[in-house]
Each structure stands twice: as structure tokens, then as C-alpha cells.
Amino acid sequence: MKNLPLIILLAIFSTLSFAKAPNCYSWPMNMTKSWLKNANITDIYNLDESKTKITLLASEKKGKDLYTQIYHFIFYDKKGNTYEVITKSDSSYEECSISDVSSYLISKNYTSF
């Protein structure tokens, strides 16, 4: 929760960034799926990856070819349940996995079947 103000601030100022950021969603997405499994939030084999929504909220240039990126993922499982996660990680054009991924579950919605 200490990083929540930083995430909100980065989300607000993301529209002011003119630097092109690396397209590094796969690293935080895969690490987040593993995190969802290890935290017993959901069985990742039941996720419908074709429905996953990915949004880059912010990308801050920290140095030459070094970026902190904030992604918003919405994962859907085969029953229609959703899991919304915000991630924070460092990346570059050469390497998407420069840092560990911090994942924050912000919402999980279960359908009633």
C-alpha cells in the first residue's frame, strides 16, 4: 500500500510522457500469473489468455534505456471471473526482465453460477 500514491501519480502523469517505451508486457504478465497461482488466488490453467486486457498505465524513463513501467492487467478465467492486477517493474529495449515484478491485486470478481 505504500506504493499506491506512486502508482496513482504515475498513472496521472503518463499522458505527459513523450518518450517511446519498450513493449515489455509479457514479463510482468507471466510473473503475475505465477504470483496468482502461488498465492492460491486462481488456477492459472483456467485463465482464458485470449481475453486478457493489457494497459500500459505509465512508463518513466529512469536512465539511458532504463524504464519503470506500470501495467494494468485484467485476467479472465473460463467461468467469467475476473482478476485485476497492477504491476510495477523495470525494463529496457534490450531486456524486459531487469527487475522483479511487484504485483498488486486490486479486484477479483466472481460470477454466480
Side-chain angles (χ1 to χ4, degrees):
M1 281 299 180
K2 289 193 265 183
N3 290 330
L4 188 57
L6 172 66
I7 293 169
I8 293 171
L9 186 63
L10 288 173
I12 291 170
F13 289 110
S14 65
T15 57
L16 300 176
S17 174
F18 299 107
K20 185 170 172 19
N23 189 16
C24 284
Y25 69 87
S26 62
W27 169 250
M29 182 173 73
N30 290 331
M31 292 299 99
T32 297
K33 289 194 301 189
S34 295
W35 174 75
L36 288 169
K37 178 183 178 232
N38 293 338
N40 293 321
I41 295 169
T42 187
D43 183 355
I44 61 171
Y45 300 108
N46 289 330
L47 294 178
D48 185 350
E49 196 164 324
S50 67
K51 292 183 178 179
T52 301
K53 293 183 181 176
I54 305 163
T55 305
L56 176 63
L57 296 178
S59 184
E60 177 187 20
K61 188 168 185 175
K62 294 173 62 176
K64 184 176 179 179
D65 195 29
L66 178 62
Y67 297 83
T68 296
Q69 295 191 310
I70 310 292
Y71 279 96
H72 176 233
F73 295 99
I74 304 175
F75 298 100
Y76 294 84
D77 67 17
K78 295 173 183 168
K79 294 179 181 178
N81 302 322
T82 61
Y83 309 88
E84 289 190 62
V85 180
I86 299 284
T87 64
K88 177 184 172 234
S89 60
D90 291 336
S91 63
S92 73
Y93 284 102
E94 288 188 31
E95 181 64 47
C96 288
S97 58
I98 289 179
S99 72
D100 290 337
V101 176
S102 297
S103 299
Y104 307 93
L105 181 67
I106 58 171
S107 171
K108 61 181 176 178
N109 294 307
Y110 295 108
T111 58
S112 55
F113 284 97

